[in-house]
Amino acid sequence: MSNIKIFDSKLEIAQFFGKLLKERTAQSDKVNIALSGGSTPKAIFDELAQAYADTIDWGKVHLFWGDERCVPPMDAESNYKMTVDHLLSKVNVPETNVHRVLGELNPTEACEKYDELINHKLPKVEGLPQFDIMLLGMGDDGHTASIFPHEIELWKASGNCVVATHPQSGQKRVSLTGQLINHSKEIYFLVTGEGKAHKLDEIIKQKPGYEEYPAALVINPFWLIDKEAAGKI
Ligand code: 6PG
C-alpha cells in the first residue's frame, strides 16, 4: 500500500520526518502542525533539534497538540513538557507560535479554551479549521490522540476538541475530534515497536472488528512505521 513506509529504525523515521518538515516550511509562509504525545515522538523531536535547528525556519512553524493530559505544563505527564524537553528548549520557535492546551485548568475549561484557540489561529477550509500536518501515535489498544476504544463515540463529537478519560488511570485529557483530525491536509501516524504490530495488522488489513479502534477511523493517513511494528503486515 502506497501510504505505508517501513523503516529500519525510529531514527530513520525521524530523518524522514525532518526532511518533510523542512520541505513544507520552505514551500509555505506558515505550517500549522498538531503534535502527538507519548514516547514515540521523542525520537522525532530529538532529530529535529539535532539536525534541523538551523535549517528549518522555525518562525514559520506553529505548534499545537493532538491531545494533552489535564495536568500543569511542567508536569512529567504533560505532552507539552515532553516537547519542551526534546524540542522547544533546543530550537527557536517563537513563544507566540506555541499553542498548548492549558492543562492546568479544569478539563472542561481547558477544552473550551483550546477550541477557541484553534478557531482563532487556524484557517478555515469548508467551514472547519485545518491543520497542515497532523502527527498521530497509536496506542497498543488502538487509541489515537486521546480517543480511546471505550469512548469511541467521542470520535464523532462536534467541535474541535473533547474531554476524554484514560481507561486505566481515569486521567482526564483534551483531545482533538475525529472531524478535525481527518480535515488535516496531511496525516502521519508514527508507530514503532513490536507492541503495536498486532493492532496495526488488524487495522491495516481491516480485520473483523477493526473499526472498534479509533486509529482505524483516521482517513488516508501515511503510516510511518518501523520493522518491529510492521512485523505482522
Ligand atoms: C498521548 C498520545 C497518545 C500516544 C499513544 C502512543 O498523549 O499519550 O498522544 O495518543 O500517541 O498512546 O504512545 P507511545 O508513543 O508512547 O507508544
Side-chain angles (χ1 to χ4, degrees):
M1 292 169 76
S2 61
N3 65 333
I4 299 174
K5 284 184 83 70
I6 300 173
F7 298 83
D8 283 337
S9 67
K10 270 189 186 181
L11 176 61
E12 286 190 8
I13 296 176
Q15 290 167 338
F16 174 87
F17 191 80
K19 289 189 185 80
L20 182 135
L21 185 58
K22 184 182 175 189
E23 282 168 16
R24 296 294 181 273
T25 46
Q27 293 160 353
S28 169
D29 295 334
K30 180 188 272 191
V31 178
N32 291 307
I33 178 171
L35 302 174
S36 65
S39 59
T40 304
K42 292 176 183 174
I44 303 278
F45 299 164
D46 290 341
E47 172 67 7
L48 290 175
Q50 188 272 322
Y52 292 90
D54 302 323
T55 53
I56 284 178
D57 181 349
W58 292 98
K60 293 182 177 180
V61 180
H62 282 252
L63 298 175
F64 300 74
W65 279 262
D67 66 319
E68 182 58 279
R69 292 83 179 275
C70 292
V71 295
M74 285 303 139
D75 186 294
E77 275 284 297
S78 167
N79 287 332
Y80 166 76
K81 180 182 185 305
M82 182 273 283
T83 311
V84 168
D85 292 345
H86 291 268
L87 181 63
L88 294 180
S89 57
K90 300 172 182 174
V91 299
N92 293 321
V93 179
E95 275 188 36
T96 49
N97 289 22
V98 178
H99 313 291
R100 69 178 182 87
V101 178
L102 302 179
E104 63 273 31
L105 302 179
N106 76 64
T108 303
E109 196 178 356
C111 187
E112 288 168 355
K113 294 257 186 231
Y114 197 47
D115 191 281
E116 289 164 16
L117 181 71
I118 288 169
N119 282 331
H120 178 58
K121 292 291 182 183
L122 288 183
K124 285 208 172 44
V125 173
E126 294 166 9
L128 270 183
Q130 186 175 62
F131 284 101
D132 296 303
I133 297 174
M134 177 67 57
L135 210 48
L136 294 173
M138 184 189 77
D140 297 1
D141 60 357
H143 80 262
T144 192
S146 279
I147 309 291
F148 294 91
H150 77 296
E151 291 181 318
I152 196 162
E153 71 282 0
L154 292 181
W155 182 263
K156 293 181 179 169
S158 60
N160 301 326
C161 49
V162 285
V163 175
T165 307
H166 190 281
Q168 280 79 41
S169 68
Q171 184 186 62
K172 293 297 182 185
R173 301 191 173 183
V174 174
S175 177
L176 295 181
T177 54
Q179 66 173 5
L180 212 72
I181 288 171
N182 281 327
H183 196 51
S184 306
K185 280 186 189 168
E186 298 177 85
I187 305 173
Y188 294 91
F189 260 117
L190 303 177
V191 183
T192 62
E194 195 178 353
K196 311 287 174 77
H198 179 68
K199 204 61 84 208
L200 206 55
D201 174 53
E202 288 184 85
I203 290 172
I204 286 179
K205 291 179 187 166
Q206 299 186 341
K207 292 191 171 176
Y210 80 100
E211 289 174 311
E212 293 165 17
Y213 309 127
L217 305 180
V218 178
I219 298 169
N220 293 331
F222 289 96
W223 293 91
L224 307 181
I225 59 183
D226 69 0
K227 57 189 178 191
E228 284 76 20
K232 294 178 183 298
I233 59 173

